[in-house]
Every structure is written in structure tokens, then in C-alpha cells.
Amino acid sequence: MDALVLLLTLAALLAVGMPVAFAVGLSAVVGALWIGLPLEALMIQITSGVNKFTLLAIPFFILAGAIMAEGGIAQRLVNFAYLFVGFIRGGLSLVNIMASTFFGAISGSSVADTASVGSVMIPEMEKKGYPRAYAAAVTASGSVQAILIPPSHNSVIYSLAAGGTVSVAALFIAGVLPGLLLGGSLMLMCMLFARRRGYPKGEPVTLKAALKISMDALWGLMTVVIILGGILSGIFTATESAAVACLWAFFVTMFIYRDYRWNELPKLMFRTVKTVTIVMILIGFAAGFGAVMTWMQLPTRITEFFTSLSDNKYVILMYINILLLLIGTLMDMAPIILILTPVLLPVTNALGIDPVHFGMIMMVNLGIGLITPPVGSVLFVASAVSKQNIETVVRNMLPFYGVLLVVLALITWIPAISLWLPKLLGMM
């Protein structure tokens, strides 16, 4: 009955349109009052939830991504990706996905990826004969890579939701191969579509132009080297690498590329602070919500429920995948991670599933939710950038959903895709 009151309160508040962060916080208050928990104890949990050094990585990564997104990096990464795959039939769709790979390794945000790469690639693809809705579908599905490829903000949030027991650095490195697998699978499908539909090849680039494009893009790509190189070498922690990457992004944007005006910086800072504030409020309230769930012994009950369904961990993972896919269509990614990780992690731990592996499973599931109606934020951005209605974009997304589900199955049932690289580098 305790858990029912908590969950029904949350569902009712979301149903009437209350913002997710406040719905989570108010549900925690109702749950605490129901079980007789002093509100002072709940407030301690809420403040403790945001009083963590690791969380400093989030504002730094968000700011670095925002600076690079608005400072001309997207066009340069598109040009750089063109050197590798632009000459292939259907090359612009491949360039779109590869540019998302590069940009995701800088921004860590699927929404920023879709907005930045999409604003460059969707008009260009339409000009070369690709349907605009198809270009939007390619952009949206390719941007899911940003959730997996470091530096993913959501990996930091997952580490926090797991109680700090999972290393952010291990999650970053674990996301590399799943992200590349996702991007490669989407590119393969785009090549098949290009051959079947007769999409054009791109023009070859001269050696002189290729060198100029590479040098121009190198400044932005150094952000990736700073983040991963600093973490792997042990020079930086994940949080410190975020701060250094932020400084580098500012230097490159304002002094190297110089496509961004100084008088626009205050507006960018305001938008970044607004985003970070929303995230931090959500994290704090979710910490209180999770504490109330723990006091109600909800994680223990859910663990017993799942383990009673089957003794095969892959069958249970299938059930969890279905649950995450369904919830991912109804809520945004961050609140789901914060609410469900403390609930589902005991289940997967009881089955002997590595928490880093489960983190990748959760990321892919919820990444699919970002491009799935009715609450797919990335889908909405792709629709807005392409000026196509949601229904048209979703119809073009159907084959991409199929590829994403296949990738999800591979990542779920082949743990080595996620764990091989962290183990190789001695992070596990």
C-alpha cells in the first residue's frame, strides 16, 4: 500500500501536467508523510543528493557542449566527416551519422546533436535529393550515439543514481564500442537505402581542401582528446576533464574559430545555468524520492518480483528492456535514470549482471525513448529543425527503430561489447 500511494501520486501529478522535477519532489513529500517520516529527514536526503563533487561534471560538460554547438563546430565536423564517407553512394546520410559521432563526443547531448548537426545536414540532404523527413529521421537516430559516447551527461547521472558505486570513467569508456556499433549499424542501413533508392554519391575532395578541412576540425576534436586522454592517462578525473574541456571549448570558439560574438555569451551562460538548475532540482528531488522508496522497501519487493518470474537472467533482462522502452516513451531520460536505477540495480546485481553493463543497457533503451512519441524530446527537435510534422518523421523512423532494437539486443546479450574496453584498460 505504501508503494502504491507513492507511485499513484507521481502518476497523478504527471497526468495533470506538473513538471517532472516538482512531481517527483511532491510525491516524495506525500510518501514521507504517509509512512510517518519526518520531513526534516527527507530534506537531508534532498540536499545530500546534490552535494556531490561528481555532479560538477554536468554543468561543465553542458557549457562546453553549448559553446561548441553555437560556435561553428557543427559545420566543421560535417566537413570533416565528408572526407571519410562523402564519396560513397548515399554519402550525405553517412556524413550525417558520422558527424553525430564526432559531435556527440564533444557535447554529450542528443538534443544539442540533433539541433546542431540537423540544421546543417537536413537542408543539404534535401538539396541533393533526399526526402526532408528521411533526413530528419537519419539525424534523430544518429544523435542517440551522444548518450553512449563519452562525455555522456547521463552516464554521470547514472553513476550518481547508483550511489556512486559505478565509476564515471568506466561508464565513459564502456560507451565507446556500443556507440560505434550503433553508428555503424545505422550507416549500414543507410547504405542499403541509398543503393535501393538511388541516392547520389558526393563529389571527391582535393588533397589541399582535405588538409584544410582536417586542420580546421582538429581544434574542435581536441576536446575529445582532452576528455578521454585526460581520464585514461590519469591526469584528470572525469570532473576535472569536464572543466578543462570547457576552457578549451571557450578558447577554440572565441579565439580560433571566432564565429561567435562576445555579446552573445551572457545569453548562452543564462541558458546553460537554466538547464543546469533544472537538472540539479530534479537530481535533488529524485534523491528524496529514492530514499522514500528505500524506506518503503520498494527495491527489495521489485527484486523479489523479477526473480520470481524466471531464474534466467537474460529472460529477466528482456522484461526490464520492455519496461524501460515503455517508460522511455512517457518520460524524459534523466528522471527515469534517477528513479529506476535504485529500483532495478538490485535486481541486476542479484542476477550477477555488471552494473556498468546494465548502465549501457539502460542508456540504449532510454535513448530509443528520446526518439519515440509521445514524449521524445529529440524527435520534437528533429521535427522542428526539418519543419516536418511528427507523424511524417515517425513513419520514416520505423526502419531505424528496427536497427536500434537489434543493437539493444546485442548490447543486452553480449556483455563484452560494453565491458571489454574498460577491462582492457584496467578500469574494472
Side-chain angles (χ1 to χ4, degrees):
M1 186 63 184
D2 295 345
L4 195 60
V5 169
L6 181 70
L7 298 177
L8 284 179
T9 303
L10 177 62
L13 293 174
L14 292 174
V16 298
M18 181 175 284
V20 173
F22 297 111
V24 170
L26 192 53
S27 300
V29 170
V30 171
L33 292 173
W34 178 263
I35 62 175
L37 181 73
L39 292 183
E40 291 85 353
L42 180 62
M43 286 305 301
I44 290 172
Q45 294 297 323
I46 291 172
T47 54
S48 298
V50 293
N51 189 24
K52 289 180 169 56
F53 178 76
T54 308
L55 284 178
L56 283 174
I58 294 177
F60 284 129
F61 280 136
I62 290 175
L63 181 56
I67 292 171
M68 298 297 271
E70 299 188 22
I73 183 63
Q75 181 64 64
R76 290 170 171 85
L77 292 178
V78 165
N79 295 340
F80 186 62
Y82 191 92
L83 300 179
F84 296 96
V85 292
F87 59 90
I88 302 172
R89 181 170 296 282
L92 281 185
S93 57
L94 308 183
V95 169
N96 192 325
I97 294 169
M98 184 171 283
S100 288
T101 307
F102 294 145
F103 194 85
I106 293 172
S107 72
S109 166
S110 291
V111 172
D113 190 329
T114 300
S116 301
V117 175
S119 62
V120 175
M121 286 303 306
I122 292 174
E124 186 66 23
M125 289 178 70
E126 183 185 34
K127 193 186 302 180
K128 298 297 183 182
Y130 296 81
R132 199 170 181 87
Y134 174 76
V138 172
T139 305
S141 57
S143 70
V144 176
Q145 296 173 91
I147 294 166
L148 296 166
I149 295 173
S152 168
H153 313 153
N154 292 291
S155 292
V156 179
I157 294 173
Y158 173 78
S159 173
L160 171 74
T165 58
V166 186
S167 162
V168 174
L171 289 168
F172 278 4
I173 301 305
V176 172
L177 290 183
L180 295 177
L181 172 64
L182 175 59
S185 301
L186 292 172
M187 290 174 74
L188 179 60
M189 191 187 70
C190 287
M191 290 170 67
L192 295 175
F193 275 145
R195 185 174 296 275
R196 185 182 307 166
R197 299 176 181 178
Y199 292 143
K201 295 181 180 180
E203 298 294 328
V205 180
T206 64
L207 179 60
K208 182 179 179 181
L211 289 174
K212 184 179 184 303
I213 290 169
S214 299
M215 290 304 298
D216 205 24
L218 186 62
W219 292 102
L221 290 172
M222 278 298 295
T223 312
V224 184
V225 176
I226 290 170
I227 294 169
L228 289 184
I231 292 172
L232 293 177
S233 64
I235 297 174
F236 306 133
T237 64
T239 304
E240 291 164 347
S241 73
V244 175
C246 191
L247 292 173
W248 177 257
F250 177 80
F251 170 73
V252 170
T253 299
M254 305 309 296
F255 295 101
I256 304 296
Y257 292 157
R258 291 183 290 182
D259 289 345
Y260 200 72
R261 294 196 295 269
W262 285 89
N263 61 4
E264 293 178 339
L265 271 177
K267 295 179 182 177
L268 184 145
M269 294 295 293
F270 174 78
R271 290 195 297 272
T272 302
V273 169
K274 185 178 177 181
T275 300
V276 171
T277 301
I278 294 169
V279 172
M280 291 303 176
I281 289 172
L282 175 60
I283 288 173
F285 285 158
F289 189 89
V292 173
M293 285 196 301
T294 301
W295 285 318
M296 291 179 173
Q297 297 186 326
L298 187 57
T300 304
R301 296 177 193 174
I302 291 176
T303 300
E304 292 171 353
F305 169 74
F306 272 107
T307 51
S308 69
L309 295 176
S310 172
D311 57 359
N312 187 318
K313 66 179 181 180
Y314 295 110
V315 172
I316 294 178
L317 277 176
M318 182 183 69
Y319 293 143
I320 291 175
N321 278 340
I322 293 171
L323 173 67
L324 290 173
L325 286 170
L326 290 174
I327 295 177
T329 66
L330 301 173
M331 287 178 67
D332 205 6
M333 189 168 187
I336 297 176
I337 294 174
L338 290 165
I339 293 170
L340 289 188
T341 298
V343 173
L344 295 178
L345 202 56
V347 178
T348 56
N349 286 340
L351 297 170
I353 297 164
D354 192 282
V356 172
H357 177 212
F358 179 64
M360 294 303 106
I361 294 172
M362 180 173 267
M363 297 299 161
V364 179
N365 271 295
L366 302 183
I368 295 172
L370 290 179
I371 56 173
T372 308
V375 192
S377 55
V378 172
L379 182 63
F380 292 145
V381 173
S383 176
V385 171
S386 65
K387 297 181 174 62
Q388 299 287 297
N389 61 50
I390 295 289
E391 294 80 4
T392 305
V393 177
V394 169
R395 279 198 298 272
N396 282 268
M397 285 289 305
L398 293 177
F400 294 92
Y401 291 138
V403 171
L404 290 167
L405 290 173
V406 169
V407 171
L408 171 61
L410 291 173
I411 291 171
T412 299
W413 288 308
I414 306 177
I417 296 174
S418 303
L419 302 181
W420 177 75
L421 199 53
K423 287 180 178 178
L424 180 69
L425 296 174
M427 293 185 167
M428 297 179 62

